[in-house]
Amino acid sequence: MKKQYASAAAILVAAAIVGGIAGNSFYTKRHFKEDIVKGDGVTEVRMLSDYNPRLKGTIADTEIYVLKGEEPGGSVLVLGSTHANEPAGHMAGIVIEENAKVKKGTVYVIPSVNQSALTHNDALDGAPQYMHYTTKTGELRTFQYGSRATNPIDQWPDPDIYTHRSSGQSLSGSETRNLNRCYPGVEDGTISEQVAYAVKNLITTDDITMEIDLHESSPEYAVNNATVAHERAMGIASEGVLNLQLEDIAMSLEPSPATLHGLTHRELGDFTNTYALLMETGNPSQGRLRGKTDEALVQTGIDPCYVVNYGLGLLYVDYSSGSFPMELRVGRHLQGISEYIAALGNNEPDKAIIVEGIPSYQEMLDNKVGFYLK
Ligand SMILES: [Zn+2]
């Protein structure tokens, strides 16, 4: 065989091996099914497609866990994984679903609201694909670490400019796959718009009193350790924020900008009767200043680059401990949810929700996430 044919054959074989390994990784991630355990307090499991039948049979369809108490009261909807590279919201949703017992009112949890975004990673970010936790009984459970946006396999191509349907607002084309720019959604729109429509339709159909969307953000981003509230939700949000501050949990209150469209705290407040809130906690594994990005960074938030930048006064979170671990971020979300539920009951006693079994901030710091997984 001529020398050049031998070289070409070797290159082809090498390409096939690399393609095979990458293809297997993509395929496994795409079809990975998280084994979320139905908690004892769950009274019903619905699907997002119950609120937009177009989603039935698509990868974007996902479980809605309903925890209904015996006494009537208000209701709250918790959304995790709007941005699937912000894993504290995903894990907080799962911890609530697997542990909470509702006495009065109803709690709805969608831990994977953008299921498609959990099936891939952001290109060139070097992010891990999975997160692992050991439960109390020693079982290892695996969860997805995803992308900020809907998987392009499910929604392609992006337009040059994304026009938000109900407001006409223009954004860059890739934002068309950002679920939190698609509310209040479009019943027969893109898959992201269809998901947003289903969430809005759930809130309208079940007359959900309060909605809390769980996010994380880069420690160097100004809206951090913050709750963003629609103007109708300001009374509940300000009481909750005050109580969190009294518990030494840093939380600022931000008004939802009236002219920034497509976000839960704006559109679900405008297009439904719900009190719309969004919580942000700091996540070094998604920041632009981070160094090596792996599961250890996701879980511990330990990054020497952030230590330097904290010293330079460039961060919006207290990074004095040199870490920002998952249990702290999940604990903040859980304590925030408990405080906003309490504030709702104080403001509107007929809409009170009584729920037990949501770990407090301190309990989550002490016991860590795996302790609360079945
Ligand atoms: Zn986010």
Side-chain angles (χ1 to χ4, degrees):
M1 194 190 288
K2 286 183 180 172
K3 197 177 168 188
Q4 62 266 38
Y5 288 134
S7 304
I11 290 168
L12 273 176
V13 169
I17 291 169
V18 170
I21 294 169
N24 182 51
S25 170
F26 278 116
Y27 185 89
T28 307
K29 174 84 174 149
R30 175 77 176 163
H31 295 93
F32 185 84
K33 185 70 186 156
E34 287 183 335
D35 57 342
I36 295 178
V37 180
K38 188 176 152 191
D40 295 339
V42 174
T43 51
E44 194 182 346
V45 181
R46 300 183 198 164
M47 298 300 290
L48 212 45
S49 57
D50 296 340
Y51 298 90
N52 188 350
R54 283 177 174 80
L55 293 171
K56 200 164 184 65
T58 73
I59 204 153
D61 202 7
T62 190
E63 286 83 2
I64 303 167
Y65 296 93
V66 183
L67 296 82
K68 190 174 172 64
E70 289 190 352
E71 282 182 68
S75 50
V76 60
L77 168 65
V78 176
L79 301 176
S81 286
T82 291
H83 294 143
N85 62 337
E86 300 170 9
H90 187 54
M91 297 316 299
I94 293 167
V95 166
I96 294 172
E97 180 275 310
E98 294 193 1
N99 292 273
K101 302 257 172 57
V102 179
K103 303 285 179 200
K104 182 179 170 67
T106 310
V107 174
Y108 298 74
V109 188
I110 310 179
S112 313
V113 67
N114 194 347
Q115 177 65 45
S116 165
L118 282 160
T119 66
H120 73 133
N121 290 111
D122 288 330
L124 305 177
D125 253 17
Q129 293 183 315
Y130 303 101
M131 307 179 291
H132 302 86
Y133 296 92
T134 305
T135 67
K136 260 190 297 192
T137 56
E139 189 190 339
L140 187 70
R141 290 182 59 185
T142 307
F143 298 93
Q144 299 259 54
Y145 184 99
S147 161
R148 179 174 176 81
T150 300
N151 193 328
I153 290 174
D154 301 315
Q155 188 178 322
W156 182 263
D158 292 346
D160 290 336
I161 294 171
Y162 162 50
T163 305
H164 178 250
R165 196 75 76 89
S166 60
S167 69
Q169 168 188 266
S170 295
L171 291 168
S172 79
S174 63
E175 292 291 79
T176 192
R177 287 183 292 111
N178 179 350
L179 176 59
N180 210 27
R181 298 296 180 276
C182 292
Y183 287 95
V186 181
E187 187 173 6
D188 60 352
T190 64
I191 198 102
S192 305
E193 289 172 326
Q194 290 180 26
V195 167
Y197 173 84
V199 173
K200 186 209 72 172
N201 197 23
L202 162 67
I203 292 172
T204 307
T205 305
D206 283 38
D207 195 18
I208 292 177
T209 320
M210 179 166 69
E211 170 274 331
I212 305 176
D213 187 13
L214 301 177
H215 287 251
E216 298 198 86
S217 53
S218 313
E220 65 272 27
Y221 179 57
V223 182
N224 215 317
N225 287 355
T227 295
V228 188
H230 188 267
E231 51 271 20
R232 285 191 296 99
M234 268 297 171
I236 290 165
S238 47
E239 183 177 327
V241 166
L242 275 175
N243 283 327
L244 289 165
Q245 289 175 350
L246 287 170
E247 293 156 9
D248 279 337
I249 298 172
M251 183 69 82
S252 62
L253 179 56
E254 308 276 345
S256 169
T259 54
L260 183 52
H261 288 284
L263 295 92
T264 49
H265 52 72
R266 168 51 41 207
E267 309 298 351
L268 295 177
D270 281 356
F271 281 83
T272 77
N273 293 323
T274 204
Y275 295 124
L277 304 174
L278 181 151
M279 265 193 283
E280 297 275 8
T281 180
N283 173 14
S285 66
Q286 74 182 107
R288 294 298 109 185
L289 302 176
R290 72 185 190 276
K292 183 183 175 188
T293 310
D294 55 11
E295 187 183 350
L297 178 58
V298 173
Q299 298 287 8
T300 66
I302 295 174
D303 189 318
C305 303
Y306 275 104
V307 173
V308 172
N309 284 283
Y310 179 67
L312 294 170
L314 295 176
L315 305 187
Y316 290 88
V317 298
D318 179 2
Y319 201 72
S320 55
S321 68
S323 68
F324 221 74
M326 183 66 82
E327 57 270 19
L328 180 149
R329 291 140 53 196
V330 173
R332 289 180 52 87
H333 278 337
L334 296 177
Q335 189 76 34
I337 290 165
S338 294
E339 290 300 347
Y340 296 128
I341 286 175
L344 171 66
N346 289 339
N347 282 267
E348 298 183 33
D350 61 319
K351 296 290 184 189
I353 300 164
I354 298 175
V355 51
E356 296 173 350
I358 298 179
S360 69
Y361 175 70
Q362 194 57 51
E363 284 172 331
M364 187 50 79
L365 282 185
D366 291 344
N367 300 320
K368 303 189 172 46
V369 176
F371 182 86
Y372 295 101
L373 297 174
K374 300 283 183 207

